[in-house]
Amino acid sequence: MKKPPNARRRRPTKNDDSISIPQLDPQPTELPANLKRKVEAKRPTLGHVVPKNARTRKYKQQEQFQQGAGGENAAQLRPQGQSRDTQRYNNPSNLRILGGLVRGRKLESPNVYLRPMMGKVKEAVYSTFTSFGMYDDVGGMSCKTRHLDIFSGSGSVGLESLSRGSRHCTFVDMSNDCCGACERNIERCGFDTWNDGGVGTGIADEGEPTARVVCSDAFRALRQPESVGIPPESKYDIVTLCPPYEEIVYAELLEAVANSELVTEDTIVMVEYPVELGCLPHVIGREDGGVLVGIRNRKYGRTVIAMYIVNPTGEREAAESKPEEFITI
């Protein structure tokens, strides 16, 4: 029997027991196949790629011969972590602190090819962190935010956090050259100081350095932090992951950070990834039954920044679940 033309659907009322209300709690799903393999994400001129205009007469004929049909204007991909020819190429990144206590401070780059986070992306990331209240003073006490910077390179991401008010940052990179540059940048910015511990500080009685540099594989640092010198009781409020796009499997990285003992309730996890990877899932499950819930997934050119919150308690009101941002990029 067809409904008459003027018939209207009855709106459900609050007291209508016949209406089933869908569950809004995010449910984790298995990580998609696109995250379980390495991705091809060529980048023409940034970081670990030699700029096209960085040619000199001295090497012009040699490069034309080596490149063959590629031509002299073809960019050359350099694997991240390999030594950079400093006699031929200047610092490709021109890194500096964008805001906070040491705004404008120039940073040293290591003598290896890197793909540093672009300035506009870093500014957007820290504007978001600030909106989440990560650098606010609470209860008359100074900011207690602790930051873990994985794949730190020169340390520009973690140093930005210290400049804006973080109490502590641990930098992790497997390159000795990167760790050396990071230590020099810490000293250059004046963060080679010591945080006193004791009752009410959340730090052990002996205190801790404002910045700690750990030369280690990222996966080992996340899965076995004590084995690389990170105190087992350490918990971090922010974890930033800026990996070399083509050298890691994102599914393994997400599983490692999700199940790391270094994260706790309301930890914000930021992941940088290329558009070529596809979209990250909105919810990532943990082995203990907890979840990482997606709260941001924004594209900046060919770079995508995803942010998750671990086992949200609701204390960070601005860090709301955003499933609509994880549908497509």
Side-chain angles (χ1 to χ4, degrees), residues 24 27 82 93 110 115 118 207 216 228 235 241 273 304 317 324:
L24 298 178
Q27 298 297 319
Q82 288 192 7
S93 57
R115 180 196 42 76
M118 293 184 295
S216 167
V228 299
K235 302 296 181 184
L241 303 164
Y273 67 100
V304 188
E317 296 180 359
E324 66 277 8

Side-chain angles (χ1 to χ4, degrees), residues 141-204:
M141 300 184 66
S142 59
C143 175
K144 292 185 177 182
T145 295
R146 295 170 53 80
H147 189 135
L148 177 61
D149 185 9
I150 302 283
F151 305 104
S152 60
S154 63
S156 65
V157 174
L159 288 167
E160 187 75 37
S161 190
L162 288 173
S163 179
R164 292 175 186 248
S166 283
R167 182 177 64 181
H168 170 85
C169 184
T170 297
F171 300 84
V172 178
D173 202 287
M174 66 181 301
S175 165
N176 288 323
D177 198 0
C178 287
C179 290
C182 188
E183 289 176 343
R184 291 189 292 275
N185 283 329
I186 290 170
E187 185 176 356
R188 176 178 293 191
C189 293
F191 296 131
D192 52 339
T193 55
W194 192 263
N195 293 326
D196 294 330
V199 178
T201 64
I203 308 175

Side-chain angles (χ1 to χ4, degrees), residues 16-255:
D16 193 343
D17 296 332
S18 65
I19 303 299
S20 60
I21 300 176
Q23 295 294 324
L24 298 178
D25 293 337
Q27 298 297 319
T29 57
E30 183 180 358
L31 292 176
N34 64 304
L35 303 183
K36 297 181 180 180
R37 55 179 179 266
K38 290 188 177 181
V39 62
E40 290 188 7
K42 307 297 183 186
R43 292 294 180 268
T45 57
L46 283 178
H48 66 301
V49 179
V50 178
K52 293 180 181 180
N53 61 358
R55 303 289 187 259
T56 63
R57 291 182 181 181
K58 180 179 178 181
Y59 294 96
K60 185 174 181 180
Q61 293 181 346
Q62 177 184 347
E63 289 186 351
Q64 287 177 337
F65 175 77
Q66 291 176 345
Q67 293 172 0
E72 64 176 283
N73 291 324
Q76 300 177 41
L77 184 67
R78 305 293 188 187
Q80 293 188 52
Q82 288 192 7
S83 296
R84 177 165 53 89
D85 187 350
T86 56
Q87 293 183 350
R88 293 184 58 191
Y89 306 113
N90 294 325
N91 179 358
S93 57
N94 295 320
L95 296 174
R96 66 181 64 220
I97 302 297
L98 300 180
L101 184 64
V102 292
R103 178 180 180 182
R105 191 71 51 87
K106 292 184 178 180
L107 302 177
E108 175 184 336
S109 281
N111 293 326
V112 296
Y113 293 96
L114 294 177
R115 180 196 42 76
M117 181 184 286
M118 293 184 295
K120 67 176 182 180
V121 178
K122 187 160 62 171
E123 188 61 61
V125 165
Y126 280 95
S127 292
T128 304
F129 285 164
T130 301
S131 73
F132 292 162
M134 304 307 296
Y135 303 110
D136 292 347
D137 296 342
V138 180
M141 300 184 66
S142 59
C143 175
K144 292 185 177 182
T145 295
R146 295 170 53 80
H147 189 135
L148 177 61
D149 185 9
I150 302 283
F151 305 104
S152 60
S154 63
S156 65
V157 174
L159 288 167
E160 187 75 37
S161 190
L162 288 173
S163 179
R164 292 175 186 248
S166 283
R167 182 177 64 181
H168 170 85
C169 184
T170 297
F171 300 84
V172 178
D173 202 287
M174 66 181 301
S175 165
N176 288 323
D177 198 0
C178 287
C179 290
C182 188
E183 289 176 343
R184 291 189 292 275
N185 283 329
I186 290 170
E187 185 176 356
R188 176 178 293 191
C189 293
F191 296 131
D192 52 339
T193 55
W194 192 263
N195 293 326
D196 294 330
V199 178
T201 64
I203 308 175
D205 291 341
E206 62 273 17
E208 67 174 357
T210 301
R212 177 187 292 113
V213 179
V214 176
C215 195
S216 167
D217 172 73
F219 292 94
R220 185 178 178 187
L222 289 169
R223 293 168 176 158
Q224 302 172 315
E226 192 173 3
S227 69
V228 299
I230 300 177
E233 68 277 4
S234 295
K235 302 296 181 184
Y236 293 90
D237 303 290
I238 299 174
V239 179
T240 49
L241 303 164
C242 304
Y245 293 160
E246 298 184 313
E247 298 174 31
I248 60 107
V249 176
Y250 272 85
E252 296 175 357
L253 181 62
L254 293 174
E255 289 173 351

